[in-house]
């Protein structure tokens, strides 16, 4: 069946068999594991996931044309869901899945931040591919230019490891950019906040002017901004990229205390 890849859905299919196999191996799948694959496309990665013989596989694909291809290819071997991953409710994440996804580039940050901000979803681990530039931001260290909102959201919830870069040659059609595979393991203990929306809000406000000192934003957000600066050891002359993940969470806690 002839299929024309759609740019609007980020359809660059991974065709390098060696890389596909290596990606699946990162999951260390056992017969007890349940797998959720986001954006299976024509099922290239799915084929190798099936070979690892997990207990159950669910794939979520938005493109109805691809759904037909997947149904023909895999029949009843896997559960195929025709849905937009951004519209899945938390009820859908009913198990501690191992999640695989060669994510569509245009919404990869959105998918990851939705998962980070949802307190109810529990994963076993995630093995996700991003465009390299986004992956560099996710694993960035504090005080570097790549340190961003997504660094804070993701590192709040997960221990993250870079696995490897993947060259454009491994895909069809060939993307213009390099890709990177990351592994996310949920942290056993995370700093608890009442509402993750507050973390989203504080990071959004502070990073809206990432080159500016935080003083003006602190005055806007916190009643006792001066005392808070001393307590958290954040200088009012710092830029947002100088504030560690844990300190951002201290700020959220403070924000929640003053709003209660
Ligand atoms: N996993 C396949 C592979 O590696 O060859 C395809 C990866 S391709 C980069 C991204 C896939 O995500 C495409 O199949 C695309 O149709 C699907 N997709 C795009 N937007 C989506 C969405 N909002 N929800 C679910 N799937 C989506």
């Amino acid at each position: 069946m002839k299929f024309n890849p759609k740019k609007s859905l980020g359809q660059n299919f991974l065709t390098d068999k060696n890389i596909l196999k290596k990606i699946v191996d990162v999951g260390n799948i056992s017969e007890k594991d349940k797998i959720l694959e986001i954006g299976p496309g024509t099922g290239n990665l799915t084929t190798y996931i099936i070979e690892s013989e997990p207990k159950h596989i669910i794939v979520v694909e938005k493109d109805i044309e691809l759904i037909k291809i997947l149904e023909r290819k895999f029949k009843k071997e896997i559960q195929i869901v025709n849905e937009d991953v951004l519209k899945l409710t938390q009820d859908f994440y009913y198990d501690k899945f191992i999640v695989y996804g060669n994510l569509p580039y245009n919404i990869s940050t959105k998918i990851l931040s939705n998962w980070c901000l949802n307190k109810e979803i529990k994963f076993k681990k995630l093995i996700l591919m991003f465009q390299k530039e986004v992956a560099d931001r996710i694993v960035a260290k504090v005080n570097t230019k790549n340190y961003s909102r997504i660094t804070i959201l993701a590192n709040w919830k997960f221990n993250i490891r870079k696995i490897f870069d993947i060259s454009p040659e491994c895909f069809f059609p060939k993307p213009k950019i390099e890709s990177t595979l990351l592994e996310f393991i949920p942290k056993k203990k995370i700093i608890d906040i009442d509402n993750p929306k507050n973390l989203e809000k504080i990071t959004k406000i502070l990073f809206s002017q990432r080159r500016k000192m935080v003083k003006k934003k602190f005055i806007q957000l916190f009643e006792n901004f001066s005392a808070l600066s001393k307590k958290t050891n954040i200088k009012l002359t710092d830029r947002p990229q100088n504030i560690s993940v844990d300190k951002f969470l201290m700020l959220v806690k403070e924000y929640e205390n003053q709003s209660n």
Side-chain angles (χ1 to χ4, degrees):
M1 183 172 172
K2 186 150 169 42
F3 179 79
N4 290 321
K6 302 176 184 72
K7 219 174 163 188
S8 62
L9 289 175
Q11 290 175 351
N12 299 95
F13 302 114
L14 188 54
T15 49
D16 185 305
K17 290 195 167 71
N18 203 11
I19 300 281
L20 285 162
K21 200 169 161 2
K22 274 193 188 163
I23 294 175
V24 173
D25 286 349
V26 176
N28 217 353
I29 297 175
S30 83
E31 73 283 356
K32 290 190 196 126
D33 286 319
K34 297 191 183 168
I35 311 294
L36 174 62
E37 189 192 354
I38 305 301
T42 49
N44 296 348
L45 194 65
T46 322
T47 303
Y48 288 92
I49 296 175
I50 292 172
E51 277 184 11
S52 306
E53 302 184 338
K55 188 167 182 193
H56 189 61
I57 305 173
I58 305 179
V59 300
V60 176
E61 173 58 60
K62 187 175 176 184
D63 187 344
I64 186 72
E65 255 193 279
L66 287 173
I67 291 287
K68 287 178 189 148
I69 293 175
L70 292 165
E71 282 172 349
R72 199 160 309 151
K73 195 164 175 180
F74 299 116
K75 309 246 167 23
K76 298 221 163 355
E77 269 181 296
I78 58 170
Q79 184 182 340
I80 301 170
V81 178
N82 183 204
E83 188 52 276
D84 180 340
V85 60
L86 295 173
K87 295 198 179 132
L88 294 176
T89 64
Q90 67 194 39
D91 295 347
F92 182 83
Y93 299 92
Y94 45 82
D95 253 315
K96 278 180 104 185
F97 291 107
I98 297 180
V99 181
Y100 284 92
N102 170 6
L103 300 179
Y105 294 140
N106 51 343
I107 54 165
S108 61
T109 310
K110 183 79 190 139
I111 297 172
L112 181 62
S113 43
N114 280 2
W115 285 335
C116 292
L117 291 168
N118 192 321
K119 268 186 148 181
E120 310 304 322
I121 305 180
K122 306 266 185 282
F123 296 113
K124 182 168 179 189
K125 65 176 118 170
L126 305 106
I127 297 135
L128 303 174
M129 196 194 299
F130 298 86
Q131 63 190 94
K132 184 174 181 305
E133 190 192 305
V134 172
D136 287 346
R137 264 188 260 138
I138 294 170
V139 298
K141 298 278 176 254
V142 65
N143 298 320
T144 65
K145 73 171 181 0
N146 280 329
Y147 189 77
S148 316
R149 292 183 67 205
I150 193 64
T151 326
I152 295 155
L153 299 187
N155 286 274
W156 169 45
K157 282 279 190 75
F158 299 103
N159 290 315
I160 308 167
R161 186 167 71 102
K162 176 174 167 171
I163 309 292
F164 47 66
D165 293 328
I166 302 161
S167 100
E169 316 297 323
C170 301
F171 296 84
F172 177 81
K174 217 162 85 174
K176 291 200 177 73
I177 34 115
E178 256 195 289
S179 304
T180 300
L181 189 74
L182 299 179
E183 178 194 56
F184 300 73
I185 308 276
K187 288 184 177 169
K188 287 210 173 70
K189 231 176 140 69
I190 61 163
I191 299 176
D192 195 27
I193 51 177
D194 292 340
N195 188 351
K197 288 261 169 230
N198 290 325
L199 179 59
E200 192 182 27
K201 181 174 173 182
I202 303 271
T203 52
K204 188 170 189 178
I205 293 174
L206 284 168
F207 276 97
S208 65
Q209 290 179 303
R210 61 174 298 142
R211 285 196 191 81
K212 296 255 166 75
M213 293 183 231
V214 296
K215 183 172 177 181
K216 233 169 117 181
K217 301 291 181 196
F218 262 49
I219 295 172
Q220 183 186 327
L221 282 166
F222 303 108
E223 287 153 14
N224 292 321
F225 68 92
S226 192
L228 180 62
S229 156
K230 282 204 188 83
K231 184 174 160 187
T232 55
N233 208 9
I234 298 171
K235 293 195 274 307
L236 295 172
T237 52
D238 278 345
R239 269 78 178 167
Q241 71 182 44
N242 307 123
I243 304 175
S244 69
V245 175
D246 286 3
K247 283 187 182 174
F248 260 102
L249 286 146
M250 280 172 86
L251 295 181
V252 174
K253 274 176 167 293
E254 199 65 30
Y255 181 77
E256 289 182 337
N257 285 342
Q258 77 177 17
S259 327
N260 284 336

